[in-house]
Amino acid sequence: FYNLTTSGILTGHSTNINVAGNFINNNTFNHNSGTVTISGTGAQTIGGSTTPTVFHKLTKNASGTATLAVNVTVNNLLTISSGILDANIFTLSGAGGLTKTGGELRMSKLTTLPELTGSYSITGGTCTFNGAGAQTIKSATYYHVNIAGSGTKTLAGATTINGNLNIQNGTLDVSASNYTINLAGNWINT
């Protein structure tokens, strides 16, 4: 269960919470071992004045777009199966891993992405690197990858893409390090 105290502290225990609207944290959210599921089919915001907002497990599983308006830390697992999780220019970091079976993860921050340090299992959906400047793509196995925004996107290591690589805008530069791209789908360069 979740307990909202008179001081505005929401404490989560080992159960889950589903959020069909905005998740706004302006005080204290104690995640404990529960899962917060962003389940709206329209536009949603994960924001508030407390940064970073820390989740144990965070899940995006509905057709809408959830956009970060604050830095977010995931300590155990980020799961995306449907819809869009738009990290925008904010940090999506932590010791958590990433399980992705569908949907889209958009990342605009100018750093090495994704920032989660746990293990990755990406078997579906799209990872979009759409920063307005240089970004580094973490060495991992992806499904579909979109290169968008502006600036140069550089691989941090050998990368496997089990779907399509779509270079929509900006530059994918692999010349400096000569890292391998193992591509199972289509190479689309517009």
Side-chain angles (χ1 to χ4, degrees), residues 99-118:
T99 296
K100 198 165 166 331
T101 58
E104 182 179 5
L105 175 59
R106 293 180 185 162
M107 298 162 284
S108 299
K109 189 173 178 197
L110 304 181
T111 187
T112 300
L113 300 165
E115 297 173 280
L116 297 168
T117 60

PDB file of all heavy atoms in Angstrom, residues 99-118:
ATOM      1  N   THR A  99      14.315  -3.131 -19.397  1.00  0.00           N
ATOM      2  CA  THR A  99      13.639  -4.180 -20.156  1.00  0.00           C
ATOM      3  C   THR A  99      12.678  -3.489 -21.097  1.00  0.00           C
ATOM      4  O   THR A  99      11.814  -2.735 -20.666  1.00  0.00           O
ATOM      5  CB  THR A  99      12.883  -5.150 -19.230  1.00  0.00           C
ATOM      6  OG1 THR A  99      13.832  -5.827 -18.403  1.00  0.00           O
ATOM      7  CG2 THR A  99      12.097  -6.172 -20.034  1.00  0.00           C
ATOM      8  N   LYS A 100      12.845  -3.738 -22.399  1.00  0.00           N
ATOM      9  CA  LYS A 100      12.049  -3.046 -23.401  1.00  0.00           C
ATOM     10  C   LYS A 100      11.546  -4.040 -24.423  1.00  0.00           C
ATOM     11  O   LYS A 100      12.328  -4.656 -25.134  1.00  0.00           O
ATOM     12  CB  LYS A 100      12.908  -1.973 -24.068  1.00  0.00           C
ATOM     13  CG  LYS A 100      12.131  -0.934 -24.783  1.00  0.00           C
ATOM     14  CD  LYS A 100      13.019   0.252 -25.080  1.00  0.00           C
ATOM     15  CE  LYS A 100      12.383   1.146 -26.076  1.00  0.00           C
ATOM     16  NZ  LYS A 100      11.495   0.494 -27.003  1.00  0.00           N
ATOM     17  N   THR A 101      10.209  -4.218 -24.456  1.00  0.00           N
ATOM     18  CA  THR A 101       9.596  -5.155 -25.401  1.00  0.00           C
ATOM     19  C   THR A 101       8.789  -4.446 -26.471  1.00  0.00           C
ATOM     20  O   THR A 101       8.313  -5.071 -27.411  1.00  0.00           O
ATOM     21  CB  THR A 101       8.680  -6.148 -24.667  1.00  0.00           C
ATOM     22  OG1 THR A 101       7.673  -5.402 -23.965  1.00  0.00           O
ATOM     23  CG2 THR A 101       9.467  -7.006 -23.687  1.00  0.00           C
ATOM     24  N   GLY A 102       8.615  -3.138 -26.342  1.00  0.00           N
ATOM     25  CA  GLY A 102       7.855  -2.350 -27.301  1.00  0.00           C
ATOM     26  C   GLY A 102       7.962  -0.888 -26.944  1.00  0.00           C
ATOM     27  O   GLY A 102       8.742  -0.485 -26.087  1.00  0.00           O
ATOM     28  N   GLY A 103       7.160  -0.065 -27.612  1.00  0.00           N
ATOM     29  CA  GLY A 103       7.156   1.360 -27.324  1.00  0.00           C
ATOM     30  C   GLY A 103       8.427   2.048 -27.778  1.00  0.00           C
ATOM     31  O   GLY A 103       9.217   1.515 -28.559  1.00  0.00           O
ATOM     32  N   GLU A 104       8.616   3.262 -27.265  1.00  0.00           N
ATOM     33  CA  GLU A 104       9.771   4.073 -27.655  1.00  0.00           C
ATOM     34  C   GLU A 104      10.354   4.768 -26.437  1.00  0.00           C
ATOM     35  O   GLU A 104       9.629   5.283 -25.592  1.00  0.00           O
ATOM     36  CB  GLU A 104       9.358   5.124 -28.691  1.00  0.00           C
ATOM     37  CG  GLU A 104      10.501   5.983 -29.189  1.00  0.00           C
ATOM     38  CD  GLU A 104      10.092   7.002 -30.243  1.00  0.00           C
ATOM     39  OE1 GLU A 104       8.876   7.108 -30.539  1.00  0.00           O
ATOM     40  OE2 GLU A 104      10.973   7.697 -30.765  1.00  0.00           O
ATOM     41  N   LEU A 105      11.675   4.780 -26.352  1.00  0.00           N
ATOM     42  CA  LEU A 105      12.407   5.555 -25.353  1.00  0.00           C
ATOM     43  C   LEU A 105      13.138   6.650 -26.108  1.00  0.00           C
ATOM     44  O   LEU A 105      13.995   6.370 -26.951  1.00  0.00           O
ATOM     45  CB  LEU A 105      13.402   4.679 -24.587  1.00  0.00           C
ATOM     46  CG  LEU A 105      14.316   5.401 -23.593  1.00  0.00           C
ATOM     47  CD1 LEU A 105      13.511   6.137 -22.527  1.00  0.00           C
ATOM     48  CD2 LEU A 105      15.290   4.412 -22.960  1.00  0.00           C
ATOM     49  N   ARG A 106      12.760   7.918 -25.827  1.00  0.00           N
ATOM     50  CA  ARG A 106      13.405   9.073 -26.463  1.00  0.00           C
ATOM     51  C   ARG A 106      14.358   9.714 -25.470  1.00  0.00           C
ATOM     52  O   ARG A 106      13.996   9.972 -24.331  1.00  0.00           O
ATOM     53  CB  ARG A 106      12.373  10.109 -26.891  1.00  0.00           C
ATOM     54  CG  ARG A 106      11.479   9.649 -28.000  1.00  0.00           C
ATOM     55  CD  ARG A 106      10.486  10.727 -28.376  1.00  0.00           C
ATOM     56  NE  ARG A 106       9.547  10.235 -29.368  1.00  0.00           N
ATOM     57  CZ  ARG A 106       8.388  10.799 -29.625  1.00  0.00           C
ATOM     58  NH1 ARG A 106       8.014  11.895 -28.978  1.00  0.00           N
ATOM     59  NH2 ARG A 106       7.584  10.283 -30.539  1.00  0.00           N
ATOM     60  N   MET A 107      15.579  10.041 -25.940  1.00  0.00           N
ATOM     61  CA  MET A 107      16.586  10.628 -25.075  1.00  0.00           C
ATOM     62  C   MET A 107      17.233  11.809 -25.769  1.00  0.00           C
ATOM     63  O   MET A 107      17.824  11.654 -26.839  1.00  0.00           O
ATOM     64  CB  MET A 107      17.628   9.568 -24.723  1.00  0.00           C
ATOM     65  CG  MET A 107      17.040   8.397 -23.943  1.00  0.00           C
ATOM     66  SD  MET A 107      18.068   6.916 -23.963  1.00  0.00           S
ATOM     67  CE  MET A 107      17.750   6.295 -25.613  1.00  0.00           C
ATOM     68  N   SER A 108      17.109  12.991 -25.155  1.00  0.00           N
ATOM     69  CA  SER A 108      17.657  14.223 -25.734  1.00  0.00           C
ATOM     70  C   SER A 108      18.858  14.761 -24.975  1.00  0.00           C
ATOM     71  O   SER A 108      19.491  15.704 -25.422  1.00  0.00           O
ATOM     72  CB  SER A 108      16.575  15.311 -25.763  1.00  0.00           C
ATOM     73  OG  SER A 108      15.487  14.916 -26.540  1.00  0.00           O
ATOM     74  N   LYS A 109      19.159  14.207 -23.811  1.00  0.00           N
ATOM     75  CA  LYS A 109      20.264  14.703 -22.997  1.00  0.00           C
ATOM     76  C   LYS A 109      21.586  14.501 -23.739  1.00  0.00           C
ATOM     77  O   LYS A 109      21.770  13.512 -24.444  1.00  0.00           O
ATOM     78  CB  LYS A 109      20.295  13.982 -21.650  1.00  0.00           C
ATOM     79  CG  LYS A 109      21.271  14.592 -20.687  1.00  0.00           C
ATOM     80  CD  LYS A 109      21.169  13.965 -19.318  1.00  0.00           C
ATOM     81  CE  LYS A 109      22.216  14.600 -18.421  1.00  0.00           C
ATOM     82  NZ  LYS A 109      22.456  13.810 -17.236  1.00  0.00           N
ATOM     83  N   LEU A 110      22.498  15.412 -23.564  1.00  0.00           N
ATOM     84  CA  LEU A 110      23.789  15.359 -24.252  1.00  0.00           C
ATOM     85  C   LEU A 110      24.803  14.665 -23.338  1.00  0.00           C
ATOM     86  O   LEU A 110      25.533  15.300 -22.594  1.00  0.00           O
ATOM     87  CB  LEU A 110      24.247  16.770 -24.637  1.00  0.00           C
ATOM     88  CG  LEU A 110      23.252  17.554 -25.482  1.00  0.00           C
ATOM     89  CD1 LEU A 110      23.805  18.924 -25.831  1.00  0.00           C
ATOM     90  CD2 LEU A 110      22.850  16.783 -26.736  1.00  0.00           C
ATOM     91  N   THR A 111      24.816  13.337 -23.403  1.00  0.00           N
ATOM     92  CA  THR A 111      25.698  12.509 -22.586  1.00  0.00           C
ATOM     93  C   THR A 111      25.726  11.119 -23.195  1.00  0.00           C
ATOM     94  O   THR A 111      25.258  10.912 -24.303  1.00  0.00           O
ATOM     95  CB  THR A 111      25.209  12.476 -21.116  1.00  0.00           C
ATOM     96  OG1 THR A 111      26.161  11.800 -20.308  1.00  0.00           O
ATOM     97  CG2 THR A 111      23.870  11.790 -20.980  1.00  0.00           C
ATOM     98  N   THR A 112      26.263  10.130 -22.471  1.00  0.00           N
ATOM     99  CA  THR A 112      26.208   8.745 -22.917  1.00  0.00           C
ATOM    100  C   THR A 112      24.874   8.157 -22.490  1.00  0.00           C
ATOM    101  O   THR A 112      24.524   8.182 -21.316  1.00  0.00           O
ATOM    102  CB  THR A 112      27.362   7.921 -22.326  1.00  0.00           C
ATOM    103  OG1 THR A 112      28.594   8.505 -22.749  1.00  0.00           O
ATOM    104  CG2 THR A 112      27.309   6.480 -22.787  1.00  0.00           C
ATOM    105  N   LEU A 113      24.117   7.636 -23.452  1.00  0.00           N
ATOM    106  CA  LEU A 113      22.752   7.176 -23.205  1.00  0.00           C
ATOM    107  C   LEU A 113      22.554   5.756 -23.709  1.00  0.00           C
ATOM    108  O   LEU A 113      23.181   5.366 -24.676  1.00  0.00           O
ATOM    109  CB  LEU A 113      21.768   8.101 -23.933  1.00  0.00           C
ATOM    110  CG  LEU A 113      21.808   9.558 -23.512  1.00  0.00           C
ATOM    111  CD1 LEU A 113      21.085  10.420 -24.520  1.00  0.00           C
ATOM    112  CD2 LEU A 113      21.203   9.728 -22.150  1.00  0.00           C
ATOM    113  N   PRO A 114      21.629   5.010 -23.119  1.00  0.00           N
ATOM    114  CA  PRO A 114      20.897   5.255 -21.874  1.00  0.00           C
ATOM    115  C   PRO A 114      21.834   5.252 -20.669  1.00  0.00           C
ATOM    116  O   PRO A 114      22.875   4.616 -20.684  1.00  0.00           O
ATOM    117  CB  PRO A 114      19.911   4.094 -21.798  1.00  0.00           C
ATOM    118  CG  PRO A 114      19.835   3.520 -23.171  1.00  0.00           C
ATOM    119  CD  PRO A 114      21.161   3.806 -23.793  1.00  0.00           C
ATOM    120  N   GLU A 115      21.427   5.962 -19.629  1.00  0.00           N
ATOM    121  CA  GLU A 115      22.278   6.167 -18.460  1.00  0.00           C
ATOM    122  C   GLU A 115      22.118   5.104 -17.377  1.00  0.00           C
ATOM    123  O   GLU A 115      22.903   5.080 -16.439  1.00  0.00           O
ATOM    124  CB  GLU A 115      21.995   7.541 -17.846  1.00  0.00           C
ATOM    125  CG  GLU A 115      22.330   8.677 -18.766  1.00  0.00           C
ATOM    126  CD  GLU A 115      21.892  10.015 -18.237  1.00  0.00           C
ATOM    127  OE1 GLU A 115      20.695  10.331 -18.362  1.00  0.00           O
ATOM    128  OE2 GLU A 115      22.731  10.731 -17.677  1.00  0.00           O
ATOM    129  N   LEU A 116      21.114   4.265 -17.456  1.00  0.00           N
ATOM    130  CA  LEU A 116      20.918   3.214 -16.459  1.00  0.00           C
ATOM    131  C   LEU A 116      22.099   2.250 -16.505  1.00  0.00           C
ATOM    132  O   LEU A 116      22.544   1.856 -17.583  1.00  0.00           O
ATOM    133  CB  LEU A 116      19.608   2.477 -16.709  1.00  0.00           C
ATOM    134  CG  LEU A 116      18.356   3.344 -16.570  1.00  0.00           C
ATOM    135  CD1 LEU A 116      17.143   2.624 -17.126  1.00  0.00           C
ATOM    136  CD2 LEU A 116      18.124   3.724 -15.118  1.00  0.00           C
ATOM    137  N   THR A 117      22.604   1.838 -15.342  1.00  0.00           N
ATOM    138  CA  THR A 117      23.820   1.024 -15.303  1.00  0.00           C
ATOM    139  C   THR A 117      23.557  -0.467 -15.137  1.00  0.00           C
ATOM    140  O   THR A 117      24.488  -1.259 -15.197  1.00  0.00           O
ATOM    141  CB  THR A 117      24.752   1.495 -14.173  1.00  0.00           C
ATOM    142  OG1 THR A 117      24.067   1.371 -12.923  1.00  0.00           O
ATOM    143  CG2 THR A 117      25.188   2.938 -14.387  1.00  0.00           C
ATOM    144  N   GLY A 118      22.291  -0.878 -14.931  1.00  0.00           N
ATOM    145  CA  GLY A 118      21.962  -2.293 -14.809  1.00  0.00           C
ATOM    146  C   GLY A 118      21.970  -2.973 -16.161  1.00  0.00           C
ATOM    147  O   GLY A 118      22.350  -2.400 -17.182  1.00  0.00           O
TER     148      GLY A 118
END
